[in-house]
Amino acid sequence: MRLILLGPPGAGKGTQAQRIVEKHGIPQLSTGDMLRAAVNAGTEVGKRAKAVMDAGKLVSDEIVIAIVSERIDQPDCANGFILDGFPRTLVQADATEAMLKAKGLALSVVVEFRVDDAELVRRVAGRYSCAQCGSVYHDTDKVPANEGVCDKCGSTHFKRRPDDTPETMTARLQVYYKETSPLIGYYHAKGKLRSVDGMAEIDQVTAEVEAILSKL
Ligand code: AP5
Ligand code: ZN
């Protein structure tokens, strides 16, 4: 199964990707996570990406395409993968097609998450994640069962993203509508697009996603 999760910042792509990983055993390839790891490690890519990410703009196609192309060659991607936050431009979408074609593979489906802007801003403002395993939480909508302790790994250390400010979120949304939303038509034209109501509760969205995956 080779999936793309498409949607604006805060739509729930990462949240649902973690559930697909658990249920289907295929890896989540989040370009945002990979870029944040590069920033934290202080690599050349990280140094180039940091200011761009903090401003809510897009890192260059060249950088992200190179990262993804290297990642999908890893052995754990042999049975499929979830692309989360990639592709994000038409150039990246064409590169994805070319990468898969070169391996004799095809995309299974693109799942688009539809969520209103006001809800996206509210979600991002309340987001935090486990500093150890990356599990994503929300101040009111998804709190750990045992307050202050990560459900998955038991860590008590959490963090917030530097780009989850209201100002940066405005820029991220503008970038999404200009650069990324054209991919909805792109994948619709290829017959690959399925849309879910991302406004629903997390479990309900998972059920909608699973209904799509069960038909593949
Ligand atoms: P990235 O890390 O990809 O961020 P994003 O696309 O902006 O997406 P988010 O991670 O903000 O949202 P999400 O949809 O995963 O939502 P989540 O599940 O966390 O990118 C960051 C930056 O990296 C970019 O700005 C760019 O600079 C760079 N970058 C990355 N990829 C790139 C690329 N391909 N090209 C160029 N640059 C790139 O949920 C959000 C919150 O809501 C959480 O708190 C969650 O608990 C809660 N929540 C989730 N679902 C629900 C629900 N159904 N109901 C209520 N609450 C919910
Ligand atoms: Zn954890």
Side-chain angles (χ1 to χ4, degrees):
M1 210 160 45
R2 284 167 292 275
L3 318 174
I4 290 175
L5 304 188
L6 180 65
K13 305 179 296 293
T15 299
Q16 297 301 328
Q18 288 180 353
R19 293 181 167 205
I20 299 169
V21 169
E22 279 162 28
K23 185 157 168 66
H24 298 274
I26 51 172
Q28 170 190 10
L29 275 48
S30 157
T31 39
D33 286 350
M34 292 188 254
L35 290 167
R36 280 184 287 279
V39 169
N40 291 337
T43 65
E44 270 316 305
V45 164
K47 282 177 196 154
R48 283 169 68 185
K50 186 173 185 327
V52 180
M53 294 173 76
D54 286 349
K57 307 230 168 86
L58 291 184
V59 174
S60 75
D61 288 331
E62 184 203 348
I63 289 181
V64 287
I65 290 167
I67 292 177
V68 172
S69 149
E70 198 184 316
R71 183 65 185 87
I72 61 172
D73 276 339
Q74 302 298 311
D76 65 331
C77 291
N79 293 324
F81 47 79
I82 309 155
L83 290 172
D84 164 13
F86 179 95
R88 240 174 162 100
T89 64
L90 289 167
V91 170
Q92 293 177 23
D94 284 339
T96 308
E97 292 271 311
M99 272 184 236
L100 292 176
K101 201 171 169 199
K103 293 175 188 296
L105 300 172
L107 191 62
S108 308
V109 74
V110 177
V111 181
E112 182 220 351
F113 295 77
R114 294 194 174 160
V115 183
D116 295 352
D117 285 3
E119 173 66 1
L120 295 169
V121 170
R122 190 193 71 80
R123 287 188 189 175
V124 162
R127 170 168 52 190
Y128 61 98
S129 64
C130 173
Q132 188 161 298
C133 75
S135 292
V136 179
Y137 296 98
H138 186 275
D139 288 330
T140 53
D141 296 26
K142 190 179 185 299
V143 290
N146 192 354
E147 208 193 324
V149 182
C150 175
D151 290 336
K152 192 172 173 200
C153 76
S155 169
T156 53
H157 296 286
F158 297 90
K159 58 184 182 186
R160 289 185 193 262
R161 277 172 41 178
D163 58 343
D164 278 351
T165 61
E167 303 76 41
T168 310
M169 186 56 180
T170 303
R172 287 161 65 194
L173 284 172
Q174 280 171 356
V175 168
Y176 174 78
Y177 290 114
K178 181 159 181 271
E179 305 283 349
T180 311
S181 66
L183 299 192
I184 297 169
Y186 176 97
Y187 286 116
H188 178 70
K190 290 179 187 292
K192 293 286 180 193
L193 189 79
R194 304 287 180 276
S195 301
V196 297
D197 174 16
M199 295 290 286
E201 283 179 11
I202 296 176
D203 288 347
Q204 178 58 35
V205 179
T206 304
E208 277 197 54
V209 171
E210 283 305 322
I212 291 167
L213 302 188
S214 70
K215 294 197 189 95
L216 294 176

